[in-house]
């Protein structure tokens, strides 16, 4: 009997509290500043150093580069850049090691799809994903360690 009264008291308390409901599809949810969402990739900044692909724990990033068509310029030019979001754990390691900030995190999180093939995103899709780019990236952090 004591347990029933205790359970009903919890129910009655929760009935009097303010309801928390989001009209999610119509009203977007504001995510915190350091939320790790889907990446944005800027191919013009990429120097094809492969650091993002090397540090990725799930090996979901693949990129290829080709020789620069201008013989006077050194280095490579990005050819393909793909991320398999079926495997990606959004750990933010790829953005931390990028020396030119060619890849940065956004606050976008909507990746639902009916097919797993739709979770494989190429360079064009990642470049267009430039809405809600996180304000605080590598360049905002102080250089040289703790002061």
């Amino acid at each position: 009997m004591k347990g029933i009264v205790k359970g009903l008291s919890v129910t009655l308390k929760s009935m009097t509290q303010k309801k928390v409901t989001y009209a999610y599809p119509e009203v977007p949810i504001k995510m915190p500043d350091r939320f790790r969402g889907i990446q944005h990739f800027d191919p013009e900044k990429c120097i094809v150093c492969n650091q993002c692909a090397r540090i990725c724990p799930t090996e979901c990033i693949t990129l290829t580069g080709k020789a620069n068509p201008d013989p006077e310029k050194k280095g490579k030019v990005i050819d393909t850049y793909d991320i398999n979001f079926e495997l990606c754990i959004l750990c933010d390691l790829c953005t931390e090691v990028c020396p030119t900030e060619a890849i940065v995190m956004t606050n976008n999180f909507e990746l639902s799809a009916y097919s797993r093939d739709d979770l494989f995103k190429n360079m064009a899709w990642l470049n267009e994903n430039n809405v809600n780019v996180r304000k605080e990236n590598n360049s905002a952090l102080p250089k040289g360690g703790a002061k």
Side-chain angles (χ1 to χ4, degrees), residues 74-108:
K74 296 187 327 188
K76 291 184 176 181
V77 178
I78 188 80
D79 191 26
T80 62
Y81 191 93
D82 304 316
I83 298 180
N84 185 357
F85 282 104
E86 184 180 359
L87 300 174
C88 182
I89 57 175
L90 301 173
C91 63
D92 198 21
L93 290 175
C94 56
T95 63
E96 294 293 326
V97 299
C98 184
T100 60
E101 288 188 20
I103 185 162
V104 293
M105 300 301 264
T106 66
N107 283 345
N108 297 337

Side-chain angles (χ1 to χ4, degrees), residues 126-147:
L126 290 166
N127 190 22
E128 292 170 4
N129 182 35
N130 59 359
V131 180
N132 295 329
V133 173
R134 205 165 68 184
K135 291 177 183 65
E136 185 177 318
N137 286 308
N138 293 345
S139 64
L141 298 175
K143 302 291 183 193
K147 303 245 177 199

Side-chain angles (χ1 to χ4, degrees), residues 115-126:
S115 171
R116 289 184 176 190
D117 296 334
D118 295 338
L119 296 174
F120 189 79
K121 304 298 183 184
N122 61 8
M123 181 170 49
W125 188 92
L126 290 166

